[in-house]
Amino acid sequence: ALKYQQHLDYSITYNKSSGRDETKCIVAIQIHQNHRQMIQYIPPHESDKFASAELVAIDEAAAIPLPVVRSLMTGGGTERLTFMSSTVNGYEGTGRALSLKLIKELRDKKGVSQKDAADAAAGAIVGPRANKRDAKVHEQRWAAAAEAAGGDLSLSSSLKEIELSTPIRYSLGDPVESWLNKLLCLDCGSNPGSLKLAGGAPAPADCELYSVDRDALFSYHKLSEAFLQKLMNLYTSAHYKNSPNDLQMLSDAPAHSVFVLLSPSAEQDADSLPDILAVVQVALEGKISRKAVEAQLARGHRSAGDLIPWTLSQQFGDSNFARLSGARIVRIATHPSVQGMGYGSRAIELLYRFYNGEMINLGSSGGADDGSSDEEEDDNTGDESVSEDDDDDDDDEDTPKGGIRGEKLKPRKELPPLLLPLTEVATPRLDWIGTSFGLTNQLHKFWSKAMMKMLYLRQTPNELTGEHSTIMVRALPKRTGVDDAWLPAFVKDSQRRLISLFGGSFKSM
């Protein structure tokens, strides 16, 4: 249409990589008819080559680390016109880091810029000292503020969002896509009506924490499926990284447990599913023999799993810590409508009281805990071998014996209740409760309010979010009676390490 001729009006540059990346494809088009213009593909990590770019288009931005995306948007300290596109839902979804973190920051920044522009426009109107009522100064200021807030702002504060809901791979309403989304809970969070709270927002102090039985949750019962969809809705809406692997871990991982915070009317209304105000996923860790820890650390390796025991044992050089047992909070998600209202803190408080033995177990005579503890004491070699007589118990349809190691993941004829109060759940003997997350001011304040103490801060930032991973722990002294003097010693040592690194690895925090 433009009647441009190659080599005269424009030139094409092809990929010159060799080896695995050797593919003939166009990486740049340079137009030099009237004035020089170039359209070029540059890998995201080579952000220094974007310095002279006037327009940047980023495809699948959620798959690129957030610090890199920020650097691409702000070339040379000034923000440029940037187009970002990303799949945030479905089986091709690359996570919600873009929408939950970066886009939220841009929205908040846009709101602040609009307020500043409105205040400046209103303050610029100065009326007469006398007869202000007749001059209608206040009406003029209100009109100017409304016009400034709704008008075109500068590039640095403008954000335009366009959503494409028409499928491009499947046809509209394709049954295969619908089946896949339903099977793997991929469309959770796409329907805003699914997150509506029917029972309102009760006082956090009146809410109670319930244990979710995973056999009943994945029994393919109609109510269980609806409850699972609600649970995954909270995960998708609150966490930046979700995948079908999380669903598999939730269903199959023996050491994982799920707790939900429900309103006080949950047990009264038996005709409908209760609203999930918060969900907490916990993984039991520890009980690693001292010999196994020392052997692994001597080789510079560590086994998969048991994140907190391995990390702290390596950090402080104390192999005795791995012998303690604890619970790591893998995920906690609060309903988007009631975030910041104390429901997450209430769930953590009840979970701590449960693991600390402050709740009376009404479902046992008191000897069940001792038996489970003694059975776990025998595991001093770090081996997770299965006993040879497992095949003889295949016909046993009752509750699994031996705690986690004796759990049998198989269909059952008689399913237990989906939700159980914590007073009817056997409490394991634990020494600590902790969590690991990307450090931010808001999250640090939340976990510090739960009496958690920071014991570890990773020196290198996370590649996806740019945040430093941290570990915070709280001791459970009433449950096992083990002296918790290790915690103040670890806290003092970690503080000394952090202070010495503030001028180096953490100087940009």
Side-chain angles (χ1 to χ4, degrees), residues 121-165:
I125 298 179
V126 180
R129 296 183 178 180
N131 299 326
K132 291 186 177 181
R133 181 177 181 180
D134 297 336
K136 297 182 178 181
V137 177
H138 294 294
E139 287 79 354
Q140 295 179 17
R141 290 177 178 175
W142 294 337
E147 183 179 359
D152 294 333
L153 302 177
S154 61
L155 177 62
S156 61
S157 60
S158 62
L159 173 66
K160 304 294 183 182
E161 298 182 59
I162 302 175
E163 181 179 356
L164 176 63
S165 57

Side-chain angles (χ1 to χ4, degrees), residues 449-468:
K449 185 179 178 182
M451 307 299 293
M452 296 274 188
K453 303 297 182 181
M454 181 186 296
L455 300 183
Y456 171 78
L457 186 62
R458 185 180 177 184
Q459 298 186 32
T460 57
N462 183 277
E463 295 181 356
L464 181 61
T465 62
E467 300 166 349
H468 294 265

Side-chain angles (χ1 to χ4, degrees), residues 197 199-208 262-265 275 277 338 341-343:
L197 286 176
D206 298 334
C207 300
E208 294 295 334
L262 305 180
S263 62
S265 61
D275 292 328
L277 299 174
V338 292
M341 297 175 61
Y343 292 100

Side-chain angles (χ1 to χ4, degrees), residues 446-499:
F446 172 80
W447 291 109
S448 298
K449 185 179 178 182
M451 307 299 293
M452 296 274 188
K453 303 297 182 181
M454 181 186 296
L455 300 183
Y456 171 78
L457 186 62
R458 185 180 177 184
Q459 298 186 32
T460 57
N462 183 277
E463 295 181 356
L464 181 61
T465 62
E467 300 166 349
H468 294 265
S469 299
T470 184
I471 292 178
M472 301 184 70
V473 174
R474 183 180 182 183
L476 299 170
K478 293 184 179 180
R479 189 56 187 155
T480 59
V482 177
D483 185 12
D484 60 343
W486 54 270
L487 183 58
F490 281 5
V491 171
K492 186 177 180 179
D493 191 5
S494 63
Q495 291 176 349
R496 178 184 59 82
R497 294 168 183 258
L498 290 177
I499 293 175

Side-chain angles (χ1 to χ4, degrees), residues 152 186 279 437:
D152 294 333
L186 296 177
V279 55
F437 58 93

Side-chain angles (χ1 to χ4, degrees), residues 104-120:
K104 184 178 182 299
E105 292 177 5
L106 295 177
R107 290 171 182 165
D108 296 341
K109 185 177 181 180
K110 179 181 179 181
V112 172
S113 301
Q114 288 178 334
K115 183 179 182 302
D116 294 341
D119 294 341

Side-chain angles (χ1 to χ4, degrees), residues 27-319:
V27 295
I29 299 177
Q30 184 175 355
I31 302 174
H32 41 75
Q33 185 184 32
N34 298 325
H35 58 280
R36 183 177 179 272
Q37 291 179 307
M38 177 179 288
I39 303 174
Q40 184 178 5
Y41 166 77
I42 300 176
H45 60 274
E46 300 178 4
S47 57
D48 55 327
K49 297 183 179 180
F50 289 83
S52 60
E54 299 177 353
L55 186 149
V56 176
I58 308 174
D59 188 24
E60 292 296 350
I64 303 175
L66 288 183
V68 177
V69 177
R70 291 191 181 98
S71 64
L72 296 180
M73 295 175 58
T74 58
T78 59
E79 297 188 4
R80 57 165 69 93
L81 181 60
T82 306
F83 290 90
M84 294 183 294
S85 66
S86 180
T87 308
V88 296
N89 220 344
Y91 77 99
E92 286 186 334
T94 51
R96 291 171 54 85
L98 183 71
S99 57
L100 290 180
K101 293 181 177 291
L102 182 59
I103 300 299
K104 184 178 182 299
E105 292 177 5
L106 295 177
R107 290 171 182 165
D108 296 341
K109 185 177 181 180
K110 179 181 179 181
V112 172
S113 301
Q114 288 178 334
K115 183 179 182 302
D116 294 341
D119 294 341
I125 298 179
V126 180
R129 296 183 178 180
N131 299 326
K132 291 186 177 181
R133 181 177 181 180
D134 297 336
K136 297 182 178 181
V137 177
H138 294 294
E139 287 79 354
Q140 295 179 17
R141 290 177 178 175
W142 294 337
E147 183 179 359
D152 294 333
L153 302 177
S154 61
L155 177 62
S156 61
S157 60
S158 62
L159 173 66
K160 304 294 183 182
E161 298 182 59
I162 302 175
E163 181 179 356
L164 176 63
S165 57
T166 303
I168 58 177
R169 174 160 297 182
Y170 293 95
S171 61
L172 188 62
D174 188 276
V176 175
E177 183 184 24
S178 177
W179 168 81
L180 186 64
N181 291 338
K182 184 178 180 181
L183 175 67
L184 302 178
C185 301
L186 296 177
D187 56 351
C188 292
S190 58
N191 184 14
S194 60
L195 291 173
K196 184 179 180 181
L197 286 176
D206 298 334
C207 300
E208 294 295 334
L209 198 65
Y210 291 80
S211 175
V212 180
D213 189 276
R214 294 186 297 169
D215 292 331
L217 183 63
F218 291 92
S219 62
Y220 200 63
H221 190 276
K222 184 177 180 180
L223 290 179
S224 299
E225 285 292 310
F227 193 82
L228 177 61
Q229 294 288 337
K230 277 192 171 186
L231 192 146
M232 296 306 297
N233 273 336
L234 290 189
Y235 273 166
T236 306
S237 62
H239 281 272
Y240 65 88
K241 189 176 182 181
N242 298 277
S243 69
N245 293 336
D246 303 326
L247 186 64
Q248 182 182 12
M249 181 178 296
L250 186 66
S251 62
D252 291 346
H256 284 240
S257 303
V258 184
F259 301 89
V260 291
L261 186 71
L262 305 180
S263 62
S265 61
E267 297 184 4
Q268 301 175 3
D269 189 5
D271 298 332
S272 61
L273 288 174
D275 292 328
I276 304 178
L277 299 174
V279 55
V280 185
Q281 184 175 347
V282 178
L284 300 183
E285 297 183 344
K287 281 294 180 183
I288 309 174
S289 69
R290 181 177 180 179
K291 293 182 179 179
V293 174
E294 292 177 352
Q296 292 281 355
L297 296 182
R299 294 193 298 264
H301 301 152
R302 69 181 190 183
S303 302
D306 295 304
L307 173 65
I308 293 181
W310 282 111
T311 303
L312 295 186
S313 296
Q314 185 178 16
Q315 173 77 0
F316 298 103
D318 187 358
S319 58

